[in-house]
Amino acid sequence: MSQIDYINEALRSFLRCVQQEGRIAVPTLCLYPSNSTVTVYVTGGEREVVVSDGGGAMHEIAAHGLPATNQAGRILSTHCRSNGLKHDGKRIYSDAIPLAAISSAIALVANASSLAAHDALSKIRVRQRRDLREALKSVLEKRYSKDQIKHEVPIMGESAKQYKFDTVIELGGDRRLIVDTVVPEASSINARIVSHIDVSKRDDPTVMQRIVYDQGEEWSGANLKLLQMAATLVPFEMVGPNLDRLRVS
């Protein structure tokens, strides 16, 4: 055998298609940032097929500890648009194409998937979530005495149900300030909304309420509006000035 025969044989063994869960998996010569091979998947019939990356780019992004944010979706859109492809937030895929055009579609999808993953890793910053409770504790301890700061204090709502709040500050007299933290997760958001709205319905002038959130997190406008309906919503960076104004008043 000649050298070209050996090379052809080696490539044939590498680029071997396999049937996989009702689709055909096709390894390519493109690589993800992890140096794993980009595999594309072909579905369809004898005349037309659709080629997709099977969610490979998004899986690669997640494997590097990056969140599947709107930014990741925009990066996929950019690489799909420039190659005449589409994505559904998870997969990059082609339109239905004639079987004769499959080699071009495989190259386009594999290349777009690889470039999107590389692009995302260079642009999306992994952000360590701030320990908001600890950060808030530090702010409060600079302004109030230990005797004033109470934790996990039960306060009754208008429904007669009792809720435990992160922190309650005894401001003097009968005045109390509830200071709660919230993170952009459904359970945290729902708990804050329910408890603060129930307490606020008592219309007790001696009880003031604040919900503190981290602006650096990814928040939807709708969730912030709901939290604002429950209590005064304060970005963490503004907690100090907000409390200082409250002490003056």
Side-chain angles (χ1 to χ4, degrees):
M1 290 176 65
S2 66
Q3 187 179 34
I4 193 168
D5 292 328
Y6 284 119
I7 291 173
N8 279 329
E9 184 63 29
L11 287 175
R12 271 196 295 271
S13 64
F14 173 72
L15 300 176
R16 184 169 293 148
C17 304
V18 295
Q19 189 80 32
Q20 188 181 93
E21 298 176 357
R23 58 188 183 174
I24 297 171
V26 184
T28 74
L29 297 176
C30 293
L31 296 176
Y32 286 123
S34 61
N35 286 328
S36 60
T37 299
V38 176
T39 298
V40 299
Y41 300 88
V42 180
T43 56
E46 295 180 0
R47 295 187 177 182
E48 288 190 328
V49 294
V50 173
V51 180
S52 88
D53 75 339
M58 291 300 284
H59 177 78
E60 183 77 6
I61 291 168
H64 280 79
L66 301 179
T69 61
N70 292 336
Q71 187 180 2
R74 288 193 294 271
I75 290 171
L76 256 63
S77 294
T78 298
H79 290 280
C80 286
R81 192 163 50 245
S82 62
N83 288 284
L85 303 171
K86 299 176 180 177
H87 79 89
D88 57 11
K90 296 180 181 178
R91 301 175 309 132
I92 292 173
Y93 61 94
S94 70
D95 286 321
I97 56 166
L99 192 59
I102 190 172
S103 58
S104 296
I106 287 172
L108 283 171
V109 171
N111 196 47
S113 186
S114 172
L115 289 174
H118 280 278
D119 200 7
L121 263 62
S122 69
K123 291 180 178 176
I124 300 177
R125 180 168 57 92
V126 180
R127 186 180 185 279
Q128 293 289 331
R129 171 167 284 177
R130 188 200 322 244
D131 188 334
L132 204 52
R133 288 190 180 188
E134 282 301 311
L136 179 61
K137 179 182 176 184
S138 177
V139 173
L140 295 177
E141 287 177 348
K142 290 177 181 177
R143 288 166 171 81
Y144 302 101
S145 69
K146 290 184 179 180
D147 291 337
Q148 288 179 285
I149 302 171
K150 311 295 182 183
H151 298 289
E152 299 294 320
V153 178
I155 294 181
M156 187 176 295
E158 197 252 354
S159 67
K161 182 177 179 179
Q162 284 199 333
Y163 302 92
K164 285 189 176 181
F165 294 96
D166 284 352
T167 307
V168 175
I169 310 296
E170 301 288 352
L171 297 175
D174 294 328
R175 294 195 311 153
R176 291 182 293 177
L177 171 64
I178 298 171
V179 187
D180 243 351
T181 58
V182 64
V183 296
E185 296 172 359
S187 58
S188 177
I189 293 167
N190 292 338
R192 299 303 178 265
I193 290 170
V194 170
S195 59
H196 278 271
I197 285 180
D198 198 14
V199 169
S200 67
K201 283 183 178 179
R202 290 175 53 201
D203 290 325
D204 185 343
T206 66
V207 176
M208 289 165 282
Q209 297 165 248
R210 299 290 185 272
I211 297 177
V212 178
Y213 75 104
D214 188 345
Q215 277 184 308
E217 298 271 17
E218 188 166 342
W219 290 93
S220 72
N223 282 336
L224 290 178
K225 286 180 181 177
L226 288 171
L227 288 164
Q228 284 173 336
M229 292 170 60
T232 301
L233 188 61
V234 184
F236 174 75
E237 287 73 17
M238 295 303 296
V239 169
N242 186 278
L243 295 176
D244 291 340
R245 287 195 299 272
L246 192 61
R247 293 171 77 192
V248 170
S249 63

